[in-house]
Amino acid sequence: MSCATLNLPPSLKLLNSCFQPSNKKSCFLSSSFSSVSFVGPLTSYGNKSSWDSCHVIKGIRSFPIVFKCVAQKSELSVSVGAGSNIASEKRLVVLVIGGGGREHALCYALQRSPSCDAVFCAPGNAGISNSGNATCIPELDISDSSAVISFCRKWGVGLVVVGPEAPLVSGLANDLVKAGIPTFGPSAEAAALEGSKNFMKNLCDKYKIPTAKYQTFTDPSSAKQYIEDQGAPIVIKADGLAAGKGVIVAMTLEEAYEAVDSMLVKSVFGSAGCCVVIEEFLEGEEASFFALVDGENAIPLESAQDHKRVGDGDTGPNTGGMGAYSPAPVLTKELQSVVMQTIIHPTVKGMAAEGCKFVGVLYAGLMIEKKTGLPKLIEYNVRFGDPECQVLMVRLESDLAQVLLAASRGELSGVSLKWSPGSAMVVVMASRGYPGSYEKGTVIQNLEEAENVAPTVKIFHAGTALNSDGNFIATGGRVLGVTATGRDLEEARDRAYQAVEEINWPGGFYRRDIGWRALPQKQLAPKK
């Protein structure tokens, strides 16, 4: 059985022994602007009986926009105030694909973009819908490219932003671009940078990108022998996509053997784990580095730092991320320059040289090695990180819609980004038991009070729904991203935790030490 099936050009076949390429599609995502049009029915969300997101339609800021949301099965009518020059401007309707905290943050930033008229999110979630940051389309099947294309054509969507990795690996961007719809996100071929860790490591080898020493295995006995030879601690990774849970940092040989058996023998990650990458343990400080890429050019975003372990003091198993802050002091301007020169630019050039240009956001998980002080690449993701996206989007002051559109057109050369001064922090609230089994349906209260702690507090919803009483309930492992900005990291941290303390959710928990590396003198936040 192969680990995955991706569409790779012939030159990439040698880079990844775990893939079975199918056809040979081009990876470059270039397309032109689509016009905007609005008239047609919208869809209700969840248990609500009328439209949630009346106010996501935006007009030019100096002119009023008049609109009316009416009952189900009716239409949204939009009229622009007299004297508006909207007809002469290229204003965007944007569709965000996904329904987690990252997508909520993207919707929030896109809605604030001056050039963006409306934001749709499919499938979205109840929190996104209730916030008014986007009109959610829960019934749109994002795994059905033809359905997504039809929606885009019906609503005059001028840009699609694909949030999660799974639709990218399955080729949604390929189909959208082929249909002439501007899309921010890599093709399935280019998404192999995240879809297969073995592919990424082989690319690093070929183009001299600094990364941890490694070997790839499909046979458990050979894998265990390699582990015995190398010793612990050591890192075992499922080759394919495992929802952020396929990395085991084994501190003992026994833990490493157990990780190998869970993936190669018990198949806990299915086909994603039938090929494992075993790599050396790097000691140092982790950081997240993001760059927007248009196929040839790359521009860096602000730095951020995630907290992967579930427990305070970076203890316990890895998660999808329990909190983040931006900027990350560990990533100095000098180090950011080194990352661009030694990791990002060689990757972009390498993918182009392999006949597979990358368009989208490159998310480099880095280790700033303790013994050298230099960055090494731990992994690539081909989308915005979660929860790093939350702290980046609350700090971004540029028009996100136009920046992402420029990337999709191959026009990032000369583009610069503007960021707010100060810092931002997000504290993730998760269901008790996560990243293991957890109860769904627990009630969450006082969210409005939490957001009112300070004007700079914003709560992003990752896994929420509404019950029959209209209360928010938890539907996932990571559920809320309580985010705040401040003049410095300490102020952002204080505001975020003040908001967390306002939330009444007995079924949830959170880390109390987000930012501890940057604020070592700060005591842990008090327990609830």
Side-chain angles (χ1 to χ4, degrees), residues 210-212 280 282 343 365-369 374-378:
T211 188
E280 68 173 318
L282 297 177
I343 296 176
L366 305 174
M367 179 68 75
I368 312 303
E369 234 186 331
L374 294 175
K376 282 189 174 180
L377 180 65
I378 298 175

Side-chain angles (χ1 to χ4, degrees), residues 215-231 234-237 253 256-265 273-279:
Q215 288 289 332
T216 303
F217 298 92
T218 56
D219 174 62
S221 298
S222 300
K224 291 177 182 178
Q225 183 60 55
Y226 180 78
I227 291 170
E228 183 179 348
D229 294 341
Q230 298 301 311
I234 198 164
V235 182
I236 295 87
K237 298 181 176 181
L253 292 178
Y257 298 151
E258 183 179 342
V260 168
D261 284 339
S262 69
M263 297 178 194
L264 295 182
V265 178
C274 72
C275 181
V276 299
V277 172
I278 301 177
E279 64 181 33

Side-chain angles (χ1 to χ4, degrees), residues 438-513:
Y438 52 85
E439 181 183 357
K440 294 184 179 181
T442 54
V443 175
I444 307 167
Q445 296 178 318
N446 293 356
L447 292 179
E448 185 174 350
E449 291 84 347
E451 279 202 325
N452 288 333
V453 162
T456 61
V457 171
K458 174 67 178 177
I459 298 177
F460 295 110
H461 290 242
T464 62
L466 291 171
N467 64 14
S468 57
D469 296 324
N471 295 315
F472 280 109
I473 57 173
T475 60
R478 293 188 299 162
V479 177
L480 301 171
V482 183
T483 311
T485 58
R487 290 168 296 182
D488 53 30
L489 186 57
E490 186 168 3
E491 184 174 75
R493 182 189 192 281
D494 290 344
R495 288 174 175 173
Y497 276 105
Q498 286 170 15
V500 166
E501 292 295 324
E502 288 292 326
I503 296 173
N504 180 12
W505 181 27
F509 77 98
Y510 56 92
R511 277 185 60 164
R512 298 176 294 117
D513 65 344

